[in-house]
């Protein structure tokens, strides 16, 4: 029995180290060497190398010509799974929000340096609707959603005033930065571990709606964050 317990404990430790190594590599745009990962984990280089090699074999990490390790294509499958979970949790909340505020609302995420609409829900109670298709993209440097999503990412010296303000206020607004004549309101979602940068976005041609809808959008983002946190713990 003692031997089984020891093996189980050792396996859990190895798994935890492997996950930590994966997170470290993914978070390093310039890649990490085995020594870098070993230093971050507090283990010998050879242990870090074995962990990284296992991740390479799984397709989650790749090793470049420079010997550094970076995220592999296998991460795309994990990301797709995370997006499916995020979308499934978000749509019912978005539907209630859209009908409550009488405006189109959407869920946007960061993908390849752009804001991407993962889900769009139109209000069933409004006579006027803004057409905004799922899969639509726009640069992160414009629009309420772009500023809100950028505020979730680690701060950089290049962050503009809009991003810093969104980070301080917990939301962002815009006018005609993506859709001509449209006002935008976006609230970041407190996603577990910030694994996926996402926000709830409202677009409207009615300027007064932005202030009126802010409490409801903040509440919806908080509700979605709680749902995701509960799902991650179960």
């Amino acid at each position: 029995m003692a031997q089984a317990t020891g093996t189980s404990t050792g396996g859990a430790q190895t798994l935890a180290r492997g996950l930590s190594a994966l997170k470290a590599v993914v978070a390093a745009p310039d890649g990490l060497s085995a020594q870098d990962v070993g230093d971050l984990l507090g283990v010998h280089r050879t242990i870090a190398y074995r962990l990284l090699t296992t991740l390479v074999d799984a397709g989650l990490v790749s090793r470049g010509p420079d010997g550094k390790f970076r995220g592999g294509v296998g991460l795309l499958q994990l990301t797709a799974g995370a997006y499916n979970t995020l979308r499934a949790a978000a749509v019912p909340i978005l539907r209630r929000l859209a009908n409550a505020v009488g405006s189109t609302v959407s869920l946007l995420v960061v993908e390849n340096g752009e804001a991407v609409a993962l889900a769009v829900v139109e209000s069933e109670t409004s006579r006027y609707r803004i057409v905004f298709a799922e899969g639509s993209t726009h640069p992160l440097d414009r629009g309420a959603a772009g500023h809100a999503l950028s505020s979730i990412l680690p701060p950089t010296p290049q962050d503009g005033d809009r991003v810093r303000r969104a980070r301080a206020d917990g939301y962002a607004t815009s006018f005609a930065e993506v859709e001509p004549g449209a006002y935008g309101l976006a609230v970041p979602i407190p996603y577990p571990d910030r694994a996926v940068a996402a926000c709830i976005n409202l677009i409207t041609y009615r300027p007064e709606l932005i202030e009126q809808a802010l409490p409801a959008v903040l509440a919806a983002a908080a509700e979605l964050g709680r749902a995701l946190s509960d799902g991650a713990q179960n």
Side-chain angles (χ1 to χ4, degrees):
M1 180 66 70
Q3 182 177 1
T5 301
T7 301
S8 176
T9 302
Q13 183 183 52
T14 300
L15 176 59
R17 284 175 173 172
L19 292 173
S20 296
L22 178 60
K23 290 181 179 180
V25 169
V26 171
D30 295 327
L32 295 175
S33 67
Q35 185 63 60
D36 293 332
V37 173
D39 292 341
L40 288 170
L41 299 184
V43 300
H44 193 272
R45 176 186 177 281
T46 56
I47 295 177
Y49 185 80
R50 285 199 297 269
L51 293 172
L52 290 166
T53 300
T54 299
L55 294 172
V56 169
D57 292 340
L60 300 177
V61 166
S62 64
R63 188 180 187 186
D66 58 359
K68 291 188 176 182
F69 296 87
R70 297 173 177 82
V73 295
L75 290 172
L76 296 176
Q77 293 178 323
L78 297 182
T79 301
Y83 284 168
N84 289 338
T85 300
L86 175 58
R87 191 181 189 284
V91 168
I93 296 173
L94 293 178
R95 186 173 294 115
R96 292 195 299 271
L97 175 63
N99 291 332
V101 301
S103 180
T104 299
V105 295
S106 56
L107 174 73
L108 288 96
V109 298
V110 176
E111 183 72 22
N112 296 323
E114 291 187 308
V116 181
L118 191 62
V120 178
V121 177
E122 297 179 347
S123 171
E124 299 173 352
T125 61
S126 176
R127 296 175 57 188
Y128 304 98
R129 298 178 182 178
I130 294 179
V131 178
F132 185 45
E134 293 185 1
S136 298
T137 66
H138 68 266
L140 285 177
D141 63 354
R142 68 189 64 170
H147 304 315
L149 290 170
S150 296
S151 74
I152 302 174
L153 304 176
T156 71
Q158 289 73 40
D159 288 342
D161 291 340
R162 304 288 298 281
V163 175
R164 288 192 288 269
R165 191 180 312 139
R167 192 173 286 128
D169 295 341
Y171 68 92
T173 60
S174 63
F175 171 66
E177 294 183 20
V178 177
E179 179 73 19
Y183 295 83
L185 166 64
V187 176
I189 297 168
Y191 199 80
D193 298 328
R194 299 294 191 185
V196 176
C199 73
I200 291 179
N201 186 52
L202 178 152
I203 50 177
T204 179
Y205 289 124
R206 298 161 51 199
E208 75 279 1
L209 184 60
I210 296 299
E211 183 175 354
Q212 295 172 3
L214 178 58
V217 181
L218 287 168
E223 180 184 357
L224 180 52
R226 289 193 298 270
L228 294 169
S229 296
D230 291 343
Q233 293 172 5
N234 294 333

